[in-house]
């Protein structure tokens, strides 16, 4: 089973022609992406792992319906998102909660937090483990519609079009939600970034 | 026309993504040269994105890949068996 230099389209054709085991190779580059995507919907590690497995199995079962007009990764992510949403619905109906998906309204304050001294963000601060924890928590606390867009765009680095396709929303909504998500995270993390910095004595030529 | 800070913030995300048009980009850059506040906001936001894209920030559960492929192998076998029965 030689697969080096094989394109994704060739892999898919061979799988459909009966070389089922090649499916392992096909999905290998997307393992992380699928997990993170399901996680962005269900926000629970165990559910995300189960969901990622189910999404992969489902994509195998439906591989013949993949048309090749979208990228395989986008198609796979659509399945992953649907799997996540299915799980969320189940969990929510168990809790008798509303299923209404909120849309981005104008409510909320989407102005960034101000820093008076940008030099207070040392690069070393980004290496701190605590900062990663704060960021993870902040992302988890984002409203669902913002977290999902943020995950696909800034964590998985999909483009606007792919993100819109995977989530079934307009590209314009992707941009608005991403902007708001980033501002919200900036606000959440700025105080932390500031406190990690060593104090500076002078700035703008005045003694503090 | 001179840009106000508020205007820069509205476009900060698109600026980072290089999706603002050339004229606005130039205006924002001009503003950033003189505005420490907006430079700081841009810097912080960019740093957050760097941190987000870093694989150490959002980690996969230990053993995830192994469990995934084990499960896949089982399912592939099952599906093959079922299709033979048909």
């Amino acid at each position: 089973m030689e697969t080096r230099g094989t394109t994704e389209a060739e892999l898919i054709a061979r799988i459909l022609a009966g070389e089922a085991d090649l499916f392992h190779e096909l999905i290998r580059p997307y393992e992380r992406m699928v997990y993170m995507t399901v996680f962005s919907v269900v926000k629970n590690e165990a559910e995300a792992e189960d969901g990622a497995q189910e999404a992969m199995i489902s994509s195998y079962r439906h591989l013949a319906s993949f048309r090749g007009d979208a990228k395989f990764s986008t198609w796979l992510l659509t399945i992953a998102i649907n799997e996540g949403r299915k799980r969320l619905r189940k969990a929510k109906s168990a809790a008798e909660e509303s299923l209404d998906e909120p849309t981005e309204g104008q409510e909320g304050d989407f102005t960034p937090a101000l820093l008076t001294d940008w030099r207070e963000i040392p690069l070393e601060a980004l290496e701190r483990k605590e900062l990663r924890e704060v960021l993870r928590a902040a992302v988890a606390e984002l409203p669902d519609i913002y977290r999902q867009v943020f995950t696909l765009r800034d964590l998985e680095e999909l483009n606007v079009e792919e993100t819109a396709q995977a989530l079934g929303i307009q590209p314009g909504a992707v941009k608005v939600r991403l902007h708001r998500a980033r501002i919200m995270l900036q606000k959440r993390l700025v105080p932390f970034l500031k406190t990690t910095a060593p104090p500076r004595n002078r700035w703008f030529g005045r003694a503090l | 026309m001179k840009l106000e800070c508020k205007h820069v913030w509205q476009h900060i995300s698109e600026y980072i993504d290089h999706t603002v048009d050339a004229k606005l980009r130039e205006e924002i850059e001009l503003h950033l040269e003189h505005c420490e506040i907006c430079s700081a906001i841009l810097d912080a936001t960019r740093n957050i994105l760097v941190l987000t894209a870093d694989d150490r920030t959002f980690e996969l559960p230990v053993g995830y890949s192994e469990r995934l492929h084990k499960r896949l192998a089982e399912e592939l076998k099952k599906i093959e068996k079922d299709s033979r029965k048909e």
Side-chain angles (χ1 to χ4, degrees):
Chain A
M1 167 165 95
E2 176 58 50
T3 57
R4 251 199 315 185
T6 313
T7 67
E8 212 164 70
E10 286 164 359
L11 265 183
I12 293 170
R14 285 173 63 180
I15 295 163
L16 290 173
E19 290 181 77
D21 282 345
L22 288 179
F23 189 71
H24 289 277
E25 301 312 313
L26 179 66
I27 55 109
R28 222 174 276 280
Y30 307 115
E31 288 174 19
R32 183 183 159 85
M33 189 183 257
V34 167
Y35 174 85
M36 291 301 167
T37 301
V38 180
F39 186 83
S40 78
V41 180
V42 299
K43 290 202 287 178
N44 171 294
E45 275 194 22
E47 274 287 306
E49 178 159 350
D50 275 358
Q53 290 182 358
E54 287 303 323
M56 294 297 200
I57 293 163
S58 174
S59 73
Y60 176 76
R61 288 183 187 277
H62 297 98
L63 194 59
S65 71
F66 171 64
R67 293 275 170 251
D69 41 8
K71 276 165 76 177
F72 174 71
S73 56
T74 312
W75 182 77
L76 184 59
L77 284 188
T78 310
I79 294 175
I81 296 220
N82 287 337
E83 179 63 34
R85 286 179 178 164
K86 201 169 83 188
R87 282 165 186 268
L88 202 60
R89 270 198 300 273
K90 240 185 233 168
K92 278 194 175 167
S93 62
E96 289 185 326
E97 278 182 33
S98 163
L99 292 178
D100 295 340
E101 174 121 333
T103 51
E104 67 282 354
Q106 282 301 319
E107 76 285 355
D109 176 11
F110 298 105
T111 50
L114 306 186
L115 299 85
T116 47
D117 185 353
W118 64 277
R119 294 185 197 183
E120 286 187 9
I121 308 172
L123 273 179
E124 312 87 73
L126 295 180
E127 286 300 313
R128 292 175 65 123
K129 231 177 111 201
E130 296 92 320
L131 192 55
R132 296 177 195 286
E133 279 161 22
V134 174
L135 178 56
R136 273 197 296 273
V139 171
E141 282 166 24
L142 285 176
D144 292 355
I145 59 169
Y146 299 141
R147 190 182 52 259
Q148 288 164 18
V149 167
F150 179 80
T151 300
L152 294 186
R153 286 283 288 126
D154 287 339
L155 186 55
E156 296 312 321
E157 299 176 324
L158 263 63
N159 66 32
V160 171
E161 201 54 51
E162 290 163 349
T163 304
Q165 269 187 34
L167 291 171
I169 58 177
Q170 294 299 315
V174 171
K175 288 183 196 165
V176 171
R177 292 178 191 187
L178 181 64
H179 176 73
R180 291 180 177 178
R182 285 170 170 174
I183 297 292
M184 285 176 180
L185 293 175
Q186 190 264 0
K187 257 190 177 159
R188 247 323 281 284
L189 265 77
V190 156
F192 188 85
L193 285 164
K194 285 187 94 168
T195 56
T196 60
R200 296 180 66 86
N201 294 326
R202 289 172 66 83
W203 183 239
F204 291 138
R206 66 197 150 96
L208 296 174
Chain B
M1 192 192 79
K2 210 160 168 278
L3 278 190
E4 282 178 30
C5 292
K6 228 177 142 180
H7 201 115
V8 172
W9 303 341
Q10 278 165 9
H11 294 285
I12 205 158
S13 191
E14 290 175 286
Y15 177 79
I16 289 172
D17 291 340
H18 299 276
T19 53
V20 288
D21 62 48
K23 188 170 169 285
L24 182 56
R25 182 159 201 92
E26 208 176 291
E27 286 172 355
I28 291 174
E29 266 154 21
L30 204 67
H31 179 99
L32 288 171
E33 273 177 33
H34 303 286
C35 182
E36 295 288 350
I37 292 172
C38 288
S39 296
I41 290 169
L42 179 67
D43 224 38
T45 310
R46 272 197 177 132
N47 280 338
I48 289 166
L49 300 189
V50 168
L51 201 61
T52 300
D54 185 328
D55 282 357
R56 288 171 299 173
T57 305
F58 292 91
E59 288 178 318
L60 290 169
V62 177
Y64 159 77
S65 183
E66 291 75 15
R67 289 190 293 276
L68 171 65
H69 285 279
K70 189 168 168 272
R71 172 93 200 275
L72 269 181
E74 289 163 8
E75 290 292 325
L76 260 54
K77 232 185 254 164
K78 228 192 276 172
I79 293 167
E80 201 195 337
K81 229 180 172 178
D82 290 349
S83 66
R84 268 203 223 125
K85 266 189 237 159
E86 281 166 15

